[in-house]
Amino acid sequence: MNHKRMLIAASIPILLALLVLTTAARSGAASFAEDFESAEIGALPAGWATEMISGDKGVWATAAATVHPAGQTPQSGDTLVYFNAWSVSSGGSARLFRTLPVDLSPVHDAWLSFWMYHDTENTAADRVQVQLSMDAGASWHDVGAPIPRYTGATGWVSYTVSFQPYMGVGYSDVLIGFLGISDHGNDIHLDAIAFESVTCDFDMCTRNDEVH
């Protein structure tokens, strides 16, 4: 009996240590969701910013409907976000980015999903490029291929971009961004942005999709 008690007592610190490690790993998981409903029209919600990269007049802002072309409703809710490519000369660009970093060091899979509006009003090569920064925005790296506004289709289309190559050591403070690039066509409209990840502890994997 005493021997069994000694084994149980010796096991308690190990179990506690495993619990601490598991909790720490899950607390570092990366996820956020944004529908832009909390922002006043024209402004961006807290935790988001826009910066002009090249050319002039380039900016991201919220709207109650698509601007160019006009009048199409958001994919969800009452607000969308857009890059004013129609007002920017060809080659001009601006970045929309989340100012709060995500920690991708403990995750085993991660992806960004969003909706983009497509129109056939003109065939200009306006496009959006998903990006990430690992140095607080000093430099940015493309993730996946650029997505064109004009595809021959009309309406909202869902996209998912994998972040699987950008996980582990060195990816503890990652900023997520969208670079809008104008070909002086129509605006680029996005909605319902979400970043999700999976964290695995031993034989158990947890999907991290809560809103931050």
Side-chain angles (χ1 to χ4, degrees), residues 25-182:
R26 289 178 180 169
S27 66
S31 65
F32 66 79
E34 182 60 69
D35 58 11
F36 301 98
E37 299 300 301
S38 64
E40 293 187 8
I41 297 300
L44 296 175
W48 291 86
T50 179
E51 60 178 347
M52 188 168 58
I53 305 303
S54 61
D56 58 2
K57 300 181 181 179
V59 68
W60 287 84
T62 54
T66 59
V67 182
H68 299 100
Q72 300 300 314
T73 59
Q75 191 279 326
S76 65
D78 300 315
T79 311
L80 54 78
V81 68
Y82 76 103
F83 166 59
N84 62 336
W86 186 87
S87 305
V88 178
S89 58
S90 181
S93 61
R95 182 181 294 115
L96 169 72
F97 65 99
R98 186 169 163 85
T99 59
L100 304 175
V102 292
D103 183 2
L104 300 184
S105 61
V107 306
H108 290 73
D109 196 6
W111 59 94
L112 178 71
S113 62
F114 58 94
W115 290 79
M116 180 175 176
Y117 187 79
H118 295 280
D119 72 88
T120 56
E121 193 172 272
N122 65 60
T123 61
D126 312 297
R127 56 205 182 275
V128 65
Q129 172 69 62
V130 174
Q131 295 186 316
L132 66 78
S133 174
M134 299 176 291
D135 52 13
S139 62
W140 291 83
H141 308 277
D142 293 346
V143 181
I147 300 172
R149 173 194 56 79
Y150 176 78
T151 63
T154 300
W156 288 100
V157 177
S158 176
Y159 291 92
T160 300
V161 177
S162 174
F163 274 66
Q164 199 166 56
Y166 309 100
M167 303 178 300
V169 178
Y171 294 95
S172 59
D173 292 289
V174 177
L175 297 179
I176 308 297
F178 295 86
L179 181 66
I181 305 166
S182 173

Side-chain angles (χ1 to χ4, degrees), residues 18 22 25-26 108 198-207:
L18 291 176
T22 301
R26 289 178 180 169
H108 290 73
V198 172
T199 303
C200 295
D201 305 315
F202 307 104
D203 294 328
M204 180 181 296
C205 291
T206 302
R207 179 167 172 163

